[in-house]
Amino acid sequence: MAYIDQFFEVLVESKASDLHIGESQPPKIRRHGEIVPIRDEPVTNEEAAYMLSEIAGPARWEKFEAGGDLDFAYEMNEESRFRCNFLKQTNGYGAVFRLIPTRILTLDELKVPPIIKTFGELRSGLVLVTGPTGSGKSTTLAALIDYINTNFSRHIVTVEEPIEFVHQNKNSVITQREVPENVTSFPSGLKAALREDADIVLVGEMRDLETISLALTAAETGLLVFGTLHTNNARKTVDRMIDVFPSDQQSQVRTMLAASLRGVIAQLLLKKGDGSGRVAVNEILVANPAVSAIIREGATQKLEDVIVAGRSQGMQFMDDAIWQVMQQGICTPHEAYMKAIDKNRFRKFLPPEDQGL
């Protein structure tokens, strides 16, 4: 048993999501969105170095010491895997660990809008799953991949940093590649997938021009590409995909994106009013001729109207999803207000002392 496992056990028992280790402060966990210490004594330099180097191993530790950052996955036991991020900060060593559930929840168990299943039934194009860090993007994507794996026979290649959910082959063949352990970068993993007889490619992070450009090309050439971005809604997602490119290339990129985009699933987590956890809310954009025309024109401000009008096609606007959760009493008006795009719509439901927010 590794020294750090004692902290991981507290995290698992507390049903928390993350463990924060920082030199000269107590170890802390994030539970239902709040960060709380799990002991009084701060972590010393010796303790931090010992617990982190032990699970990293000599080669990774050397890389971390040289570069100041490290990402990898650690398995404590069959039930508990962790995404590990080591960092150097002003007080010395630090690390953040995210618990990755080993059982992949189904789309039905996640209670996501049923339209999301149809994205798994596509044969080509680009589907983007977006949201801020810690909004459950990976969980939703894992469920979508599992849905495909259960119902279709495809070759699915994932390129991740690090691998979070481990998929077993069911009806599909799944090849999971980790950056930088198995492949040097996202672009090189994507390029290789084009030669690996893949039907579906999952790109863990689409954060640079080369990755986004290759993803668009792969989608155009007949692959179904799933990618993630750290954007909060469909409009910002489309803007980000285009803004990454130099201005002289943007009209060409708009044309490519208009042709290959099949949908955007944006996700946020809202704290439940009773303090029992969090609930996911989704904005769903399904690409139809109107969406394609808007993307080609560069008039993304019109997307909101299309989403609101496209409810019969399974589309859902983020503020409407938040509104529904608030109306059902699952989250407080304050939480709804904080996460909403149009704050004015929710302001009148705030208690009088918060009206000035």
Side-chain angles (χ1 to χ4, degrees):
M1 181 171 159
Y3 178 80
I4 200 168
D5 288 354
Q6 60 186 310
F7 302 114
F8 287 147
E9 282 170 355
V10 172
L11 180 142
V12 172
E13 281 162 25
S14 308
K15 295 188 167 53
S17 60
D18 300 81
L19 169 68
H20 289 250
I21 298 289
E23 212 175 297
S24 63
Q25 50 184 308
K28 300 179 177 103
I29 55 172
R30 183 185 290 274
R31 190 168 175 269
H32 305 330
E34 305 294 329
I35 294 182
V36 291
I38 55 174
R39 74 174 196 203
D40 295 331
E41 314 86 77
V43 174
T44 63
N45 173 265
E46 294 76 15
E47 188 183 20
Y50 177 69
M51 75 166 93
L52 300 183
S53 63
E54 183 183 24
I55 60 165
R60 283 199 190 117
W61 185 250
E62 197 177 310
K63 185 182 161 193
F64 167 60
E65 286 282 44
D69 277 295
L70 180 69
D71 286 295
F72 67 101
Y74 168 70
E75 196 164 299
M76 176 169 78
N77 53 40
E78 278 184 15
E79 282 80 52
S80 308
R81 271 171 65 82
F82 295 88
R83 186 178 76 198
C84 314
N85 173 251
F86 289 10
L87 55 121
K88 288 185 179 173
Q89 37 106 0
T90 45
N91 294 326
Y93 295 126
V96 180
F97 303 89
R98 163 72 48 86
L99 176 64
I100 306 161
T102 45
R103 190 175 88 75
I104 297 168
L105 295 173
T106 65
L107 291 170
D108 293 334
E109 286 171 322
L110 290 175
K111 296 185 175 64
V112 294
I115 188 77
I116 289 178
K117 282 184 183 172
T118 65
F119 293 134
E121 293 159 10
L122 296 167
R123 295 308 297 256
S124 66
L126 178 65
V127 176
L128 300 168
V129 179
T130 75
T133 303
S135 59
K137 294 188 296 292
S138 302
T139 306
T140 299
L141 254 178
L144 192 48
I145 294 295
D146 186 61
Y147 173 74
I148 299 166
N149 189 13
T150 305
N151 293 287
F152 303 98
S153 50
R154 307 264 194 271
H155 182 206
I156 304 164
V157 176
T158 77
V159 187
E160 303 168 78
E161 183 189 15
I163 289 169
E164 295 190 33
F165 293 91
V166 176
H167 294 269
Q168 308 301 330
N169 292 344
K170 292 181 183 175
N171 277 323
S172 290
V173 175
I174 302 194
T175 304
Q176 293 187 263
R177 307 190 73 198
E178 185 162 299
V179 178
E181 305 285 316
N182 314 129
V183 62
T184 52
S185 65
F186 285 109
S188 53
L190 240 172
K191 272 184 205 156
L194 297 171
R195 299 188 296 273
E196 287 159 2
D197 188 33
D199 299 295
I200 296 167
V201 185
L202 184 153
V203 191
E205 286 267 347
M206 291 182 40
R207 53 182 168 218
D208 59 75
L209 189 151
E210 192 182 1
T211 308
I212 291 171
S213 177
L214 281 164
L216 285 167
T217 306
E220 273 198 326
T221 55
L223 269 74
L224 176 56
V225 180
F226 292 106
T228 69
L229 285 154
H230 293 281
T231 42
N232 287 6
N233 58 45
R235 179 187 171 180
K236 283 183 187 167
T237 301
V238 171
D239 288 340
R240 173 75 55 86
M241 291 285 289
I242 293 157
D243 291 346
V244 162
F245 291 85
S247 50
D248 60 332
Q249 292 176 30
Q250 288 183 1
S251 69
Q252 183 196 347
V253 171
R254 276 199 292 271
T255 305
M256 285 176 80
L257 187 60
S260 60
L261 186 68
R262 297 289 175 269
V264 178
I265 304 162
Q267 186 160 305
L268 296 173
L269 289 180
L270 304 183
K271 283 183 213 159
K272 289 184 181 176
D274 62 5
S276 67
R278 293 184 289 176
V279 61
V281 287
N282 297 95
E283 176 163 298
I284 309 281
L285 171 72
V286 180
N288 59 18
V291 169
S292 301
I294 284 167
I295 294 171
R296 266 196 306 276
E297 288 164 24
T300 53
Q301 69 281 2
K302 294 180 186 170
L303 283 176
E304 184 183 317
D305 295 337
V306 174
I307 294 169
V308 172
R311 196 172 291 164
S312 62
Q313 291 174 268
M315 296 203 221
Q316 183 167 278
F317 183 51
M318 185 61 86
D319 281 2
D320 291 342
I322 293 171
W323 177 266
Q324 230 173 339
V325 170
M326 184 188 81
Q327 292 291 77
Q328 290 166 357
I330 297 168
C331 79
T332 63
H334 183 266
E335 179 69 359
Y337 172 85
M338 295 306 288
K339 295 286 168 72
I341 298 161
D342 176 8
K343 305 286 185 198
N344 289 330
R345 180 174 171 184
F346 293 86
R347 185 175 274 117
K348 58 180 176 284
F349 296 97
L350 294 173
E353 63 273 18
D354 288 347
Q355 291 282 342
L357 276 174

